[in-house]
Amino acid sequence: GTFVEDLGRANGAKWGRYLEGAFENDADGNLIGDPYTQALSDGSNCTVYHTPVQLLGDGWNPYKGADVFCITRHPYERAISEYQYVCRNPRVQTAWAEVKRPEPHKLWLDPPCSAEGLNRFVQGAMELMKRGLKHIDDCHHVAQAEYIWDARGERMCQHVIPMDENLTANVVALMEASGYAVRAREVPRSQSVGCHSLTPDDLWASTRQLLREVYADDFRL
């Protein structure tokens, strides 16, 4: 997500964290402070640009009348990516454990960057999702289908792009079709450290079953 946001910004588009009203900006347009959040029905507060469109309040909603695109990935790969992300970011670990989850729900990561830690983390998150806490962890686990269709089944996302080896080319093609003069076709990617050895093969059968239950619609995307 961060890479696509940066690719858009390099070509004059403001997506994700760069959307007007998502962050406070300094005089030079740089993001400062913490992002603005949206209070949700399960008691969670999610960053506004992580919140599904139909759950945004009556104020900030840059998607109204816009030509919207979404990026999807296989639920197994997404679950692993979420675990890798939080393992690499101590600040996120603190925020999710102390702010983004209701008490007394612990954030299980240990042993860090391990198959056991991965399965404990994913199973813990999926169990909370099944109990109705769909928006924990800054909406990082919300079903992808909820960003594509609203509760009435109406489509909110006009273009669905899979996260695969053609991601950059497909995003650039959509930008050009939308009238952007694409100058930068690549931007620096963050150099993440650790946890790279984990694959879907590391997911236990019980973890896969939970993912299939919670993300039934996403498996059909």
Side-chain angles (χ1 to χ4, degrees):
T2 300
F3 165 74
V4 174
E5 292 168 2
D6 290 341
L7 180 63
R9 188 188 192 201
N11 290 289
K14 293 184 177 181
W15 301 330
R17 69 191 191 280
Y18 296 119
L19 284 165
E20 297 288 350
F23 266 89
E24 185 178 353
N25 299 87
D26 64 17
D28 297 320
N30 298 309
L31 309 181
I32 58 175
D34 293 321
Y36 297 113
T37 61
Q38 173 74 47
L40 298 168
S41 60
D42 64 352
S44 298
N45 285 277
C46 289
T47 301
V48 288
Y49 55 86
H50 289 169
T51 304
V53 176
Q54 70 268 27
L55 301 181
L56 290 170
D58 295 329
W60 188 86
N61 189 343
Y63 307 104
K64 289 181 178 178
D67 191 32
V68 179
F69 75 94
C70 308
I71 296 172
T72 61
R73 69 190 312 178
H74 192 283
Y76 292 167
E77 295 175 351
R78 182 189 181 199
I80 294 169
S81 177
E82 294 293 353
Y83 176 69
Q84 293 169 325
Y85 168 72
V86 71
C87 277
R88 292 191 297 257
N89 291 278
R91 184 170 178 269
V92 173
Q93 294 173 27
T94 301
W96 286 15
E98 298 180 2
V99 180
K100 298 298 185 179
R101 290 189 173 206
E103 292 291 346
H105 304 300
K106 183 174 174 58
L107 183 67
W108 294 104
L109 301 173
D110 297 328
C113 291
S114 69
E116 180 182 352
L118 166 67
N119 284 277
R120 294 177 74 187
F121 169 75
V122 175
Q123 289 196 13
M126 294 303 101
E127 290 292 355
L128 291 175
M129 295 272 287
K130 290 180 67 176
R131 290 169 53 183
L133 299 172
K134 294 170 48 177
H135 309 110
I136 58 167
D137 299 347
D138 203 20
C139 283
H140 272 241
H141 310 295
V142 175
Q144 296 170 90
E146 294 191 25
Y147 294 91
I148 301 174
W149 295 278
D150 65 15
R152 299 184 300 274
E154 296 180 6
R155 187 155 184 159
M156 302 175 293
C157 175
Q158 289 77 41
H159 310 277
V160 178
I161 301 174
M163 182 177 284
D164 57 20
E165 66 276 5
N166 298 313
L167 172 62
T168 302
N170 287 333
V171 172
V172 167
L174 179 59
M175 293 182 71
E176 291 178 331
S178 301
Y180 285 90
V182 177
R183 302 177 302 277
R185 294 174 181 269
E186 192 63 57
V187 293
R189 297 175 186 252
S190 60
Q191 297 300 312
S192 56
V193 178
C195 295
H196 294 302
S197 62
L198 295 169
T199 73
D201 290 338
D202 292 306
L203 294 169
W204 299 338
S206 54
T207 304
R208 292 173 180 240
Q209 179 58 35
L210 279 170
L211 288 166
R212 287 194 292 269
E213 292 173 5
V214 173
Y215 294 137
D217 290 336
D218 288 0
F219 277 91
R220 293 190 283 266
L221 291 177

